[in-house]
């Protein structure tokens, strides 16, 4: 399968904001931000990054692929854990520098590597002038030790 | 009001993923990604960036502030349009490099500068092998010409 080629973004702001060609605006690192929600109930599951290849693979295969900044490579989400993401809808924002994936999660229905459903399992609140984190979801859908061996 | 000071992130991954101090991980540009949803129905409204000052202002005032990469300055969302965002909840993700704001939008209940409720008003679909955009929400809550004069 040959990879999709994305056309260059228009310099005309109104063209960027209209219907027509999808011309993603990758940043100076060649990345675009991807926001991932559950297609069923809309819960925010994770935020990740894609390069052009990961975005093309996601659009062409219907399974979410990302670019790992720490590992410097394409990453098919759920390849190890089984928690693959089937993409039900893709949207982009007004200036085409972010995309939103609505997905169905397979496997344990867990997106976070800690075994939780969502990576956003903690709230931030100010206590005695300090920003503090509280865990509001501690249900583990899998044991990371079993899956990742670490 | 003195600005909040954020402690440096731990190098211990398990500490980063636990409860305790909120230690946001700003990238090499000094920015963190902010995902913004409607506190009422969970709709994804926008994605933006914050530097430490914008994040501190948001936590301390309860009104969303961002950092505009194009203008190179702090930006109180809605200052011109009246569509201020009151923050009802803040969450962070497992590695503390993204935050999620659940907000109530004042004014026209519009977050996008095009006058639409959400910046994510277009879907991406593959048609004849090309990634194309379709507008699925074209309801304008305000006329950008009236608000921004452009």
């Amino acid at each position: 399968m040959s990879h999709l080629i994305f056309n260059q973004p228009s310099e005309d702001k109104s063209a960027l904001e209209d219907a027509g060609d999808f011309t993603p605006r990758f940043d100076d690192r060649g990345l675009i931000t991807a926001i991932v929600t559950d297609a069923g109930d809309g819960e925010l599951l994770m935020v990740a990054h894609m390069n052009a290849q990961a975005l093309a693979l996601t659009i062409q295969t219907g399974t979410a692929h990302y670019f790992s900044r720490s590992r410097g490579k394409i990453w098919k989400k759920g390849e190890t854990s089984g928690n693959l993401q089937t993409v039900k809808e893709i949207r982009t924002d007004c200036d085409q520098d972010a995309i939103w994936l609505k997905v169905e999660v397979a496997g344990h229905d867990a997106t976070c590597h800690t075994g939780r459903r969502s990576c956003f399992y903690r709230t931030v609140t100010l206590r005695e002038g300090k920003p503090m984190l509280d865990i509001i979801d501690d249900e583990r859908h899998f044991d990371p030790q079993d899956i990742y061996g670490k």
Side-chain angles (χ1 to χ4, degrees), chain A residues 124-132:
Chain A
V124 179
T125 48
L126 212 51
R127 275 206 298 278
E128 297 173 6
K130 290 184 183 167
M132 302 297 294

Side-chain angles (χ1 to χ4, degrees), chain A residues 6 35 45 58 60 70 105 124 134 137 147 150:
Chain A
F6 299 107
I35 294 95
L45 300 177
T58 300
Q60 290 183 300
S70 55
V105 180
V124 179
D134 292 294
D137 176 16
I147 300 290
K150 59 182 179 185

Side-chain angles (χ1 to χ4, degrees), chain A residues 36-39 45 77 82-86 103-111 117:
Chain A
V36 186
T37 64
D38 187 293
L45 300 177
K77 172 70 185 170
N83 293 289
L84 293 164
Q85 297 176 341
T86 300
V103 305
E104 278 178 6
V105 180
H108 314 87
D109 189 22
T111 293
R117 182 180 176 213

Side-chain angles (χ1 to χ4, degrees), chain A residues 18-61:
Chain A
D18 209 346
D21 276 6
F22 174 43
T23 55
R25 288 176 58 232
F26 299 99
D27 67 13
D28 50 13
R29 302 165 300 183
L31 301 176
I32 195 168
T33 303
I35 294 95
V36 186
T37 64
D38 187 293
D41 66 1
E43 181 75 6
L44 177 61
L45 300 177
M46 62 181 278
V47 174
H49 294 83
M50 293 179 174
N51 61 3
Q53 189 187 353
L55 181 55
L57 280 167
T58 300
I59 293 173
Q60 290 183 300
T61 66

Side-chain angles (χ1 to χ4, degrees), chain A:
Chain A
M1 182 168 62
S2 63
H3 285 306
L4 274 185
I5 303 296
F6 299 107
N7 289 332
Q8 286 297 312
S10 173
E11 298 198 5
D12 173 5
K13 200 159 166 284
S14 64
L16 263 188
E17 296 171 357
D18 209 346
D21 276 6
F22 174 43
T23 55
R25 288 176 58 232
F26 299 99
D27 67 13
D28 50 13
R29 302 165 300 183
L31 301 176
I32 195 168
T33 303
I35 294 95
V36 186
T37 64
D38 187 293
D41 66 1
E43 181 75 6
L44 177 61
L45 300 177
M46 62 181 278
V47 174
H49 294 83
M50 293 179 174
N51 61 3
Q53 189 187 353
L55 181 55
L57 280 167
T58 300
I59 293 173
Q60 290 183 300
T61 66
T63 300
H65 292 70
Y66 303 100
F67 182 79
S68 167
R69 291 179 295 177
S70 55
R71 286 173 287 165
K73 64 176 191 180
I74 297 281
W75 157 54
K76 182 179 180 179
K77 172 70 185 170
E79 201 162 28
T80 304
S81 68
N83 293 289
L84 293 164
Q85 297 176 341
T86 300
V87 178
K88 308 307 284 184
E89 185 177 298
I90 305 179
R91 294 201 197 179
T92 192
D93 67 348
C94 44
D95 56 0
Q96 301 192 43
D97 69 352
I99 67 159
W100 172 14
L101 305 183
K102 298 186 183 186
V103 305
E104 278 178 6
V105 180
H108 314 87
D109 189 22
T111 293
C112 188
H113 74 284
T114 63
R116 295 176 179 92
R117 182 180 176 213
S118 165
C119 294
F120 290 85
Y121 55 85
R122 292 174 296 183
T123 54
V124 179
T125 48
L126 212 51
R127 275 206 298 278
E128 297 173 6
K130 290 184 183 167
M132 302 297 294
L133 298 175
D134 292 294
I135 293 174
I136 55 168
D137 176 16
D138 208 14
E139 185 189 345
R140 312 294 178 117
H141 295 224
F142 63 81
D143 181 346
Q145 179 75 33
D146 291 345
I147 300 290
Y148 304 110
K150 59 182 179 185

